Amino acid sequence: MSADDLRTAIGWAASEGWNPGLQDVESFHEIDPDGFLMGWLDGRPVGSISAVDWGSGFGFIGLYIVVPELRGKGYGIQLWRAAMERLEGKTIGLDGVVAQQENYARSGFRLAHRNLRFEGTAGALAGEAYGEELVDSAFESVQALDVAPSSRPTYVRRWLRQPRAITLRGSDSVLVCRPCLNGYKIGPLVAPNIDEARRLLGSACARLAPETPVFLDVPETNSEALELARTHGMTRQFETARMYHGEQPEFDHTRWFGVTTFELG
């Protein structure tokens, strides 16, 4: 896809209720410009999928959409095969919606854990000012905080530079809060413990209008992350399944309080 094609796909994601970020087109495309595929039928775009190469033997699939009127006709599987071919030989991750999890399993993906989306309001989450706004000079130290199966410096650098996003660094912790079609999404949120995560989250939310919707995608493998959401009155909206094809990666889930994005991992 070109960036304009990706804008079309992000529009489909919005129609599906995925609530994309306002800067997702630019952020996503710069991470891996060749990693976004589109299916065309009779000269018009009808489907999309991302197959983003993180490097270091790992890739991630997302944005898997066929326009509603053409589903069930075999167009989606062609996109799927193209994405799998692009990432052949790598460990591949995805965050699958409930309706597609059996299909992913038939393609050799195995369940690792669920991710749960919680929604709250900035006013209920707001706390005292804390942390420092990130600047480019801090990139190398922030890169070391990334919770992922492999190093992904291009992804992290671009994600931290999003216009209008709140990016904060605390004590061995980092948070990005990005504007979306509806409210703001927190992701990533990386911290050594729940108290540190709460301080960063509260500081970011204090900068927003109290009625602003705030969304946090929580890996259920981190019990403190679940506690953080529930003790602040956040309500569960839906779930995805983190699944992997190939060798199951191992990394520290205890520091992982918020998923960066379901589309790219």
Side-chain angles (χ1 to χ4, degrees):
M1 299 187 209
S2 67
D4 283 341
D5 294 333
L6 182 54
R7 189 166 285 105
T8 296
I10 294 294
W12 293 338
S15 297
E16 294 293 319
W18 297 357
N19 192 26
L22 299 183
Q23 299 295 323
D24 280 2
V25 171
E26 294 78 8
S27 299
F28 286 7
H29 201 260
E30 288 188 19
I31 289 164
D32 183 2
D34 295 326
F36 299 89
L37 311 178
M38 179 162 275
W40 298 75
L41 182 67
D42 297 331
R44 74 178 180 106
V46 298
S48 65
I49 197 166
S50 59
V52 171
D53 186 353
W54 283 3
S56 303
F58 194 88
F60 205 88
I61 285 178
L63 275 179
Y64 186 24
I65 306 171
V66 173
V67 295
E69 65 270 22
L70 292 176
R71 292 173 186 172
K73 299 181 181 295
Y75 299 127
I77 193 63
Q78 295 181 60
L79 286 163
W80 176 259
R81 289 168 180 161
M84 292 294 290
E85 181 179 350
R86 182 170 196 265
L87 298 177
E88 185 176 3
K90 300 179 181 293
T91 295
I92 306 170
L94 58 78
D95 281 314
V97 297
V98 172
Q100 292 294 330
Q101 289 167 20
E102 289 187 8
N103 291 332
Y104 297 142
R106 283 195 287 270
S107 293
F109 281 78
R110 293 178 296 157
L111 176 67
H113 59 84
R114 295 184 303 165
N115 290 319
L116 310 178
R117 173 159 294 175
F118 287 88
E119 178 181 357
T121 62
L125 295 162
E128 300 295 327
Y130 177 69
E132 299 178 350
E133 292 190 14
L134 286 169
V135 294
D136 282 353
S137 60
F139 171 76
E140 294 301 331
S141 59
V142 172
Q143 165 68 22
L145 298 177
D146 188 28
V147 176
S150 69
S151 176
R152 48 182 186 174
T154 301
Y155 185 169
V156 174
R157 186 183 295 277
R158 183 62 188 87
W159 201 252
L160 295 177
R161 290 177 169 173
Q162 293 184 70
R164 296 176 55 193
I166 300 167
T167 56
L168 295 175
R169 181 185 177 188
S171 177
D172 197 30
S173 58
V174 64
L175 170 148
V176 175
C177 177
R178 79 189 199 273
C180 298
L181 291 179
N182 178 29
Y184 281 70
K185 286 182 183 175
I186 305 292
L189 174 53
V190 178
N193 54 60
I194 189 172
D195 291 334
E196 181 70 12
R198 182 181 290 113
R199 293 177 75 184
L200 269 190
L201 179 62
S203 181
C205 289
R207 302 173 184 225
L208 305 174
E211 67 278 7
T212 303
V214 175
F215 301 90
L216 178 66
D217 298 327
V218 175
E220 67 171 353
T221 48
N222 187 339
S223 59
E224 286 197 333
L226 293 172
E227 180 183 349
L228 177 68
R230 290 168 178 160
T231 56
H232 284 80
M234 303 185 82
T235 57
R236 180 174 156 183
Q237 300 299 306
F238 67 89
E239 68 180 65
T240 66
R242 174 60 61 91
M243 306 177 79
Y244 294 104
H245 184 282
E247 185 177 354
Q248 189 95 346
E250 296 183 3
F251 54 98
D252 185 4
H253 286 217
T254 65
R255 299 173 54 246
W256 192 20
F257 284 80
V259 178
T260 303
T261 166
F262 286 156
E263 288 78 23
L264 272 64

